[in-house]
Amino acid sequence: MAAENVMDVVSQIGAGVTDSLAYLGSLAMLGTRAAYYTFVGPFQGKSLRLQSAASQAMEVGVRALPILSLITFFIGLILALQSAYELNKLGAMNLVAKAVALSMSRELGPLITAIVVIGRSGSAFAAEIGTMKVTEEIDALEVMAISPVHFLVAPKFLAMIVMLPCLTIWANTMGILGGALFGVTQADFTLTRYMQASIESLYLRDILSGLIKSVMFGVTITAVGCLEGLSTGGGAEQVGRSTTKAVVVSILLVVVVDLVFTAAFFFLGNG
Amino acid sequence: MDQGHPSLSEPKAAISVRDLRVSYGEIEILHGIDFDVQAGETLVILGGSGSGKSTLLRALVGLEKPSSGQIWINGKDIAAVSTSELYEIRKKTGMSFQGSALFGSMTVGENVALPLREHTKLEDSTIEIMLRLKLEQVGLAGFEYHLPSQLSGGMKKRAAVARALAMDPEILFFDEPSAGLDPIIAAGIDQLILELKKAFHMTIIVVTHELASAFLIADRLVLIDKGNIVAIGTVDEMRSSAQPRVRQFLDRVPEPDVEGELDYLQTLTGRYRRRA
């Protein structure tokens, strides 16, 4: 009896692992095909849908600016408050600028940007493509000999990998400005000196590592959102389910990708 | 009924289906379908809900992969070709979907022009003229700047047909052309199919359960039931058929209920078994 239960658990874990690996495989395949249509296709006579990519970039990037600015400004302010709590005891309030600048550009800038984009665009990708699946529009593309990945996914992919780093730079700046609000009002900085201290504390690699991560986040969010959309079953209810799943899975995978790259930078940096 | 099986390597018909089997997971939906469609012929696939007729159509356009068997379209087995070859074949076929499947974010004109823009290097002005021509053919002249959401059900169907016609296909597929339309609009769509047939001598495959429309447009009919072909023949052959399943479908006789009280009880208690 007990042995049977153990075998049950083992086989369930096995099935779970196989499913997860298959899912990651589908994601990688979709990501690769989108990358093919973006970077290789144009040289083989398969036109890149620049107009569609531009309107996606507008939607994914430009329209996200107000909400992203607000959130990252507050995050910067919170970071300043939190680090000041400890730094004040050491009498090192002048290090607040450095603490905010480093944690924003290395970690929180890319991550918060990714989470805002997941909420706004990852979910929208899944809902848009899922609805098209339900109304047979994806089938119609196929039957017209138009690849849905070329037509729908590639423009989103291009928009994401361009806009996410841009948004991240913006988020870093807004975060530092948020920190400056605290620095100027509570820690005897002038705005110029605070900005100078921030810039001096940043090395190019701090910013670059964040930007590389943000590109990978963009790939992840596009692949998950579009895959969830494309694998939507029949019915409006399924579209809702795909959208929710796209958000949950994207957040999980973005954190995993973040961990992998942060660890890689850490060990490569020391090595 | 007389189909004759040409040698498998070079079927002469526009479409030849040989021992086609399609499964969803473990469940087999089509159990070995065989038929031919001659070039220029209109074949109507009839069948009730769940008979497998829609699955058959999806297999014919390559949206459903057969678990075994062959589908020859213009001499190529679409079950065995690569994706790029399949796309080449699809450029010469058109399909009108049950729910029309127009792209909601594009105008009617952009919908019709899409295959032309994707697959040809024609000038914009030429495409403009062609899309007007196609819309004219389906009776939608002047609607190119409307969004699909601004059209009625019948007009959407017509726009979908115009899009299917865009690449001047040799074969045209219709999935339930009159589904969800009132009788007058549905008759209009039937008329449109007849006109296309007369004007372009296209090979047309229609899936439907509407008997009146089927008899009006068909050269030959196929009746599918539970994943098998029950009967195949011309309109007159089908009308005069004595086969019980054909008669039941044509005379619209409902499925008999479970016979007898005992059987009913056995069904409820899950111990139903066929009487010997």
Side-chain angles (χ1 to χ4, degrees), chain A residues 33 37 45-47 49 51 128 132-133 135-152, chain B residues 58 61 63 86-88 90-91 93-95 97-104 106 111 114-115 118-119 121 163 175:
Chain A
R33 285 183 62 201
Y37 283 118
K46 295 185 177 101
S47 64
R49 312 182 56 80
Q51 204 183 344
E128 180 197 333
M132 291 181 73
K133 184 79 194 293
T135 54
E136 295 180 306
E137 287 170 50
I138 301 289
D139 287 342
L141 280 176
E142 276 285 345
V143 170
M144 284 190 276
I146 299 169
S147 156
V149 177
H150 183 195
F151 190 77
L152 291 171
Chain B
R58 289 177 64 81
V61 293
L63 287 174
L86 178 62
Y87 274 14
E88 283 310 309
R90 279 175 172 169
K91 285 178 193 170
T93 63
M95 174 152 173
F97 284 84
Q98 183 173 352
S100 29
L102 296 166
F103 302 111
M106 301 179 187
N111 265 286
L114 182 65
E118 289 294 316
H119 300 312
K121 292 192 168 23
R163 188 175 67 183
D175 189 9

Side-chain angles (χ1 to χ4, degrees), chain A residues 85-104:
Chain A
Y85 172 74
E86 198 60 29
L87 290 172
N88 201 16
K89 289 183 202 162
L90 304 170
M93 283 292 264
N94 55 333
L95 289 180
V96 165
K98 182 170 185 158
V100 172
L102 277 179
S103 18
M104 273 319 284

Side-chain angles (χ1 to χ4, degrees), chain A residues 34-121:
Chain A
Y36 166 81
Y37 283 118
T38 310
F39 300 119
V40 185
F43 300 104
Q44 298 185 342
K46 295 185 177 101
S47 64
L48 192 57
R49 312 182 56 80
L50 282 177
Q51 204 183 344
S52 170
S55 71
Q56 289 290 341
M58 184 76 191
E59 194 47 54
V60 169
V62 180
R63 299 234 161 85
L65 281 177
I67 184 74
L68 183 68
S69 308
L70 198 62
I71 292 177
T72 46
F73 185 85
F74 288 158
I75 295 276
L77 186 52
I78 292 167
L79 275 178
L81 286 163
Q82 292 283 24
S83 44
Y85 172 74
E86 198 60 29
L87 290 172
N88 201 16
K89 289 183 202 162
L90 304 170
M93 283 292 264
N94 55 333
L95 289 180
V96 165
K98 182 170 185 158
V100 172
L102 277 179
S103 18
M104 273 319 284
S105 16
R106 291 187 66 97
E107 181 58 45
L108 284 167
L111 190 64
I112 299 291
T113 307
I115 288 173
V116 169
V117 170
I118 289 171
R120 289 188 76 258
S121 304

Side-chain angles (χ1 to χ4, degrees), chain A residues 1-10:
Chain A
M1 198 58 185
E4 259 175 44
N5 282 340
V6 170
M7 284 316 288
D8 254 15
V9 173
V10 170

